[in-house]
Amino acid sequence: MPFPMEVLQASSLSFPLLRRHSRNNLINKFRNPTLPRIDIPRQNIDLKTFAATTPTVACPPSDPEIIPEKKEDKFDWYENWYPVATVCDLDKRRPHGRKVIGIDVVVWWDRKENAWKVFDDTCPHRLAPLSEGRIDQWGRLQCVYHGWCFDGVGACKFIPQAPHDGPPVETSKKACVKGVYPSCVRNGIVWFWPNSDPKYKDIYLTNKPHYIPELDDPSFTCTTITREVPYGYEILAENLMDPSHVPYAHYGILELEKVKESSKRDREGGHEMEISVGTIDVNGFSAKHVSADYYFVPPYVYYGRITPNAATKTKDATLPVVPEEKTAMIVFYCIPVTPGYSRLIYAGARNFAVQIDRFVPRWITHMSHNLIFDSDLFLLHVEEQKLKDLDWHKSCYIPTKADGQVVAFRRWLNKYGGTQVDWRNNFTPALPPTPSREQLFDRYWSHTAECSSCSVACKRLNALEIGLQAMSLVFVAMAAAVSAPATRYSMVAMAVLSFLASKWLSHFIHKTFYNHGYDHAFV
Ligand code: FES
Ligand SMILES: [Fe+2]
């Protein structure tokens, strides 16, 4: 699902501004093996620094990587912040359950401390999920099985069954929530540190989630979407780093760059791609493709900064002057959930065409985003099933440089990440069986139910559908009551129109919020 509509808009709006020869110069620049250094943006240097960024032209590997023996070169999956949810999709009035890197967590708003808290989603009494509970009138997290209540540090504050004059059993350490994770909000996302050891209590002071300033910049508009997908973190990450599948898997719904009809070799317009990838180390890698810089910051962030007008910033007076720096950001947070399942939080930001973004309701933009997810969902699910017992490097044939970032990611995973997400023996290596196609393409539980915009729109449109059906009945009754033939005919016509509108709306609601499906053959 990479590069949603913002990129399409960035490309289509900006590239026509470049003269043909300047575009060619730009492309030639990226073909040159003496490429300039790709710099990680200054504002991020304090968070993650790449050891070396001298780019090399991507070359598909033929040899499997050797796992390093140096301990410091091993990536620790549990020494990192993980995104839990976007703040705009969380309701402060209720707890929310999420699974992240195999850990069930409950995220809830502690109004005493004005902070989102992330706990292990397990009640210490008899292990019921706290995420099914509620926030009581004193702002405590209440387990709804037997009513035990917990404060923002996980201490038990109330056991309804304890006798008034008995020992204060709620003060026992055993009554506390076992896992209270460090949490924070950054870039509009609630994050948690997946280790509740007290030594990490103040981890935020020394180690913060990767920050992307454009997402908080008021001159940018930012839109986010979260979607659960039925394939694992590894497949999700490599898919996002793969621009060459876009003209095919997302044909007709997403276009990365305009390709002249005369230079197309097929209807879809796939073409040679020069992607240069910097040095890969334990902290990830950077890459460059046409007018965009991409960064992989393990384990969760992959993002691109696209500045299509950068090529015109030159002293050459013969070239058009484009004073405004148009920048589009595409940010993907790839979250491991369980083997075979992952969650993507996408954030798109841009500092142009912002009026359109402010005008269009979020749930409308989610229609196109979800369609992009749907269009390669089945391909990726099946790919993962086929790869489960195979070595990626040996099984896949990677002859072109278009797969440069995918190869880089697999190299990083092989060399530093232990070849896959570290599930800490919580799961068997086997992938879950393939669910029915209907379940695979489910949109309701994978998105709508937890999206604050789509869930409201879905409820309102369902109410409108019922209203249209009621109107249809009212018109039928009115047609029966009136005697004038002309009035009767118009009432019948209105009844039919209302009925047809309700039918169309029902179909629209199903496709938009419940299940769209996707058929590539007739796109
Ligand atoms: S299981 Fe939570 S109160 Fe009993
Ligand atoms: Fe949505």
Side-chain angles (χ1 to χ4, degrees):
M1 173 274 161
F3 317 115
M5 296 309 287
E6 288 76 8
V7 185
L8 161 65
Q9 287 151 359
S11 304
S12 60
L13 286 171
S14 307
F15 276 117
L17 294 173
L18 304 180
R19 276 190 183 174
R20 189 173 154 206
H21 67 273
S22 68
R23 288 179 60 184
N24 289 342
N25 287 346
L26 181 66
I27 290 164
N28 286 336
K29 188 173 139 193
F30 298 128
R31 286 183 176 153
N32 186 343
T34 57
L35 282 164
R37 173 190 163 94
I38 300 173
D39 289 319
I40 301 301
R42 290 177 67 85
Q43 60 270 24
N44 296 326
I45 284 175
D46 63 320
L47 303 175
K48 294 276 181 186
T49 306
F50 290 86
T53 54
T54 307
T56 53
V57 174
C59 182
S62 52
D63 302 315
E65 294 286 343
I66 299 163
I67 306 290
E69 289 180 6
K70 280 196 298 178
K71 190 174 180 294
E72 60 269 27
D73 276 350
K74 191 96 169 67
F75 180 78
D76 188 334
W77 293 84
Y78 293 86
E79 290 275 326
N80 282 281
W81 291 94
Y82 282 85
V84 180
T86 43
V87 171
C88 65
D89 289 318
L90 292 174
D91 185 341
K92 289 181 177 174
R93 299 167 303 170
R94 56 159 302 167
H96 302 261
R98 294 285 189 279
K99 192 187 279 286
V100 181
I101 196 164
I103 304 170
D104 285 306
V105 297
V106 53
V107 53
W108 65 285
W109 177 251
D110 178 9
R111 68 182 186 226
K112 278 214 174 97
E113 290 187 35
N114 272 338
W116 290 101
K117 296 299 173 80
V118 180
F119 291 178
D120 190 83
D121 193 13
T122 308
C123 177
H125 178 215
R126 280 177 32 210
L127 317 187
L130 294 167
S131 56
E132 290 298 312
R134 57 176 80 98
I135 310 299
D136 76 358
Q137 62 267 50
W138 292 284
R140 304 175 299 195
L141 176 61
Q142 183 190 64
C143 174
V144 287
Y145 198 8
H146 307 96
W148 290 29
C149 292
F150 306 92
D151 68 7
V153 293
C156 183
K157 290 295 171 191
F158 182 49
I159 296 180
Q161 297 79 17
H164 266 299
D165 48 359
V169 285
E170 70 275 7
T171 58
S172 163
K173 260 185 100 173
K174 288 184 174 175
C176 298
V177 175
K178 294 291 175 294
V180 175
Y181 299 105
S183 58
C184 65
V185 172
R186 205 159 156 89
N187 277 146
I189 292 172
V190 177
W191 303 77
F192 92 118
W193 185 270
N195 193 328
S196 58
D197 189 309
K199 74 179 181 189
Y200 295 111
K201 190 167 160 280
D202 295 320
I203 187 70
Y204 184 76
L205 301 177
T206 53
N207 182 333
K208 295 179 172 59
H210 191 79
Y211 185 63
I212 298 182
E214 287 87 347
L215 299 185
D216 289 340
D217 185 333
S219 65
F220 281 70
T221 51
C222 180
T223 182
T224 58
I225 182 171
T226 304
R227 174 95 183 238
E228 316 271 331
V229 286
Y231 43 85
Y233 160 88
E234 297 85 356
I235 297 289
L236 171 64
E238 68 168 42
N239 170 255
L240 299 170
M241 298 177 188
D242 168 21
S244 66
H245 80 284
V246 172
Y248 298 91
H250 305 304
Y251 178 73
I253 52 176
L254 181 60
E255 192 177 26
L256 277 186
E257 55 186 302
K258 290 277 176 214
V259 179
K260 275 192 294 182
E261 282 302 320
S262 56
S263 56
K264 280 187 175 177
R265 291 188 290 173
D266 58 14
R267 181 189 70 155
E268 291 81 3
H271 55 86
E272 184 186 344
M273 284 186 167
E274 289 289 339
I275 298 173
S276 55
V277 179
T279 301
I280 306 163
D281 70 17
V282 69
N283 294 316
F285 57 84
S286 60
K288 200 164 184 65
H289 174 224
V290 196
S291 55
D293 295 323
Y294 295 99
Y295 307 97
F296 170 55
V297 185
Y300 47 78
V301 189
Y302 173 69
Y303 69 99
R305 180 176 285 104
I306 303 161
T307 50
N309 288 344
T312 62
K313 291 196 173 302
T314 168
K315 298 229 165 60
D316 185 346
T318 64
L319 293 178
V321 176
V322 183
E324 178 194 11
E325 170 119 345
K326 292 183 176 179
T327 301
M329 300 294 298
I330 51 171
V331 185
F332 303 100
Y333 299 97
C334 313
I335 307 163
V337 175
T338 58
Y341 286 93
S342 52
R343 181 180 304 118
L344 176 66
I345 296 177
Y346 165 73
R350 61 182 181 180
N351 62 357
F352 56 95
V354 294
Q355 295 307 333
I356 301 170
D357 296 342
R358 290 187 179 128
F359 175 73
V360 178
R362 186 171 175 239
W363 70 271
I364 300 268
T365 64
H366 285 187
M367 286 171 64
S368 55
H369 289 163
N370 273 318
L371 198 58
I372 295 166
F373 281 114
D374 288 338
S375 54
D376 54 15
L377 183 150
F378 192 72
L379 309 176
L380 301 179
H381 176 82
V382 174
E383 177 193 356
E384 181 171 53
Q385 294 284 335
K386 290 187 175 173
L387 273 171
K388 65 185 171 191
D389 299 320
L390 302 174
D391 178 295
W392 188 90
H393 289 276
K394 289 180 181 160
S395 312
C396 298
Y397 176 49
I398 314 288
T400 75
K401 290 173 181 171
D403 290 314
Q405 290 186 88
V406 177
V407 172
F409 170 69
R410 286 288 175 175
R411 279 181 166 171
W412 175 86
L413 193 62
N414 216 25
K415 189 166 183 179
Y416 303 106
T419 71
Q420 62 165 23
V421 174
D422 177 5
W423 299 108
R424 288 199 162 161
N425 300 323
N426 289 329
F427 299 94
T428 60
L431 288 174
T434 295
S436 69
R437 211 176 158 92
E438 184 76 10
Q439 288 170 315
L440 271 179
F441 282 98
D442 163 73
R443 272 194 192 179
Y444 188 79
W445 294 110
S446 66
H447 173 72
T448 304
E450 297 293 346
C451 172
S452 58
S453 309
C454 289
S455 56
V456 169
C458 182
K459 273 184 201 139
R460 289 183 181 162
L461 291 177
N462 270 317
L464 180 60
E465 184 196 341
I466 292 168
L468 286 167
Q469 288 167 354
M471 272 173 63
S472 178
L473 290 176
V474 169
F475 283 126
V476 168
M478 286 168 71
V482 295
S483 52
T487 313
R488 178 173 290 171
Y489 289 141
S490 56
M491 291 296 120
V492 170
M494 292 298 285
V496 171
L497 281 177
S498 303
F499 179 74
L500 290 178
S502 77
K503 280 287 168 202
W504 178 86
L505 189 56
S506 167
H507 180 72
F508 176 81
I509 291 169
H510 180 76
K511 287 271 192 187
T512 304
F513 301 115
Y514 291 89
N515 200 310
H516 190 285
Y518 205 85
D519 184 352
H520 288 272
F522 299 111
V523 175

